[in-house]
Amino acid sequence: MAKHLQDTTTLHNGVKMPWLGLGVFKVEEGPELVNAVKTAIVHGYRSVDTAAIYENEAGVGEGIREGMKEARIAREELFITSKVWNADLGYESTIAAYQASLDKLGLDYLDLYLIHWPVAGKYKEAWRALETLYKEGRVKAIGVSNFQIHHLEDLMKDEEIKPMVNQVEYHPRLTQKELQAYCQKHGIQLEAWSPLMQGQLLDNPVLQEIATKHGKSVAQIILRWDLQNGVVTIPKSTKAQRIVENATVFDFELTSEEMERIDSLNQNLRVGPDPDNFDF
């Protein structure tokens, strides 16, 4: 079990991925974004997750450079993720999109590159491109995002390389137990986006009760639940105090009873789009 902010899980290709990172969804380009990324790195975060569609890769790159300089660490100590957007899903277009993300970020390589959504009839060609990038050593690991079991089954019928990560909406109202079991069986690391359900769980009485018992915030309880479930998590924040607080989840442990109580909050409820029914 992760005991430290820089502890990692080992993906099926041997690459080490931090259990906890910073998400930057809906954070616009500008000083706030740059400062959030820099603050996270200075306070010990080693993983940052962005995407082409967030239109903030340039600011993330600037924050990475400033954070590395201030923390006096090398690029190799960081784990940077981005994602190819739906409009670029195709063989050549995905490879071009990867290069465009690198250029914006100002990096030579990514640690993880994901297909953002399972667009029917398009994701297989995009996956072929990711396999090429991986085989050429241009990216350390490849994976998918928002893939359900049937999407993974379809992809894995033809793939040469199995996805290393599946990043999905995951929180106590959407526990995705069946999907997680499938991913575990196939050696695919599950990763949570929107782990705090965009703030909708912060006043939940069950979570508040558990938080009070441990002297922690509800957010910290949820993130700890993620980690104890073996799920990588990337909470988003731009506030320095919250960034630090979100990472202070390695000094306590939830009991099996508390884990079950949190699991029981599941309602298969999404705050994001349904991977089986989206139109973008």
Side-chain angles (χ1 to χ4, degrees), residues 24-266:
V24 295
F25 175 56
K26 284 189 174 168
V27 186
E28 292 180 7
E29 288 282 25
E32 185 182 42
L33 168 68
V34 174
N35 202 47
V37 174
K38 179 180 82 171
T39 298
I41 292 170
V42 168
H43 283 95
Y45 282 72
R46 293 296 176 259
S47 173
V48 181
D49 177 281
T50 184
I53 195 65
Y54 301 170
E55 297 184 335
N56 61 11
E57 289 171 314
V60 169
E62 183 58 35
I64 288 168
R65 285 186 292 281
E66 290 187 15
M68 280 172 27
K69 188 176 175 184
E70 199 165 316
R72 296 181 179 174
I73 59 167
R75 162 68 182 97
E76 292 70 34
E77 295 177 59
L78 295 175
F79 190 97
I80 311 300
T81 302
S82 194
K83 312 174 193 84
V84 56
W85 184 242
N86 303 352
D88 293 318
L89 294 183
Y91 185 77
E92 297 294 346
S93 52
T94 294
I95 288 173
Y98 179 74
Q99 189 57 51
S101 284
L102 284 187
D103 292 345
K104 286 176 186 164
L105 285 157
L107 299 175
D108 297 327
Y109 69 92
L110 286 179
D111 298 275
L112 178 63
Y113 197 47
L114 305 175
I115 293 176
H116 208 148
W117 286 90
V119 180
K122 286 191 167 184
Y123 58 75
K124 286 194 179 184
E125 277 299 285
W127 187 253
R128 214 161 56 79
L130 264 60
E131 289 180 328
T132 296
L133 290 165
Y134 179 72
K135 285 187 277 191
E136 289 176 353
R138 295 176 63 191
V139 63
K140 303 287 184 192
I142 52 176
V144 294
S145 182
N146 302 300
F147 274 50
Q148 306 276 60
I149 291 172
H150 68 92
H151 297 123
L152 290 167
E153 285 176 337
D154 184 47
L155 186 70
M156 293 199 298
K157 278 195 308 224
D158 304 310
E159 44 78 353
E160 286 180 58
I161 300 163
K162 191 167 54 175
M164 286 133 208
V165 171
N166 184 17
Q167 184 186 117
V168 298
E169 181 178 346
Y170 177 91
H171 45 69
R173 290 282 190 223
L174 184 70
T175 57
Q176 307 247 41
K177 291 291 184 192
E178 200 181 338
L179 177 63
Q180 184 177 12
Y182 181 88
C183 287
Q184 281 174 334
K185 180 182 167 189
H186 291 278
I188 301 167
Q189 175 63 52
L190 202 67
E191 179 178 14
W193 64 256
S194 202
L196 305 178
M197 203 181 174
Q198 296 175 6
Q200 292 183 29
L201 289 165
L202 300 182
D203 55 0
N204 179 276
V206 171
L207 294 170
Q208 284 179 331
E209 183 192 323
I210 295 170
T212 301
K213 184 184 149 196
H214 286 279
K216 292 286 180 181
S217 68
V218 167
Q220 287 168 321
I221 295 299
I222 295 169
L223 297 174
R224 181 70 205 180
W225 171 80
D226 283 1
L227 297 174
Q228 285 186 219
N229 272 324
V231 176
V232 168
T233 186
I234 43 167
K236 180 198 88 174
S237 185
T238 55
K239 296 174 177 60
Q241 180 193 344
R242 192 66 49 75
I243 288 168
V244 173
E245 180 192 290
N246 285 345
T248 313
V249 291
F250 299 97
D251 56 354
F252 74 105
E253 200 166 319
L254 297 168
T255 65
S256 53
E257 187 210 8
E258 288 167 339
M259 291 290 290
E260 284 167 18
R261 285 185 74 196
I262 299 170
D263 284 348
S264 72
L265 297 173
N266 180 55

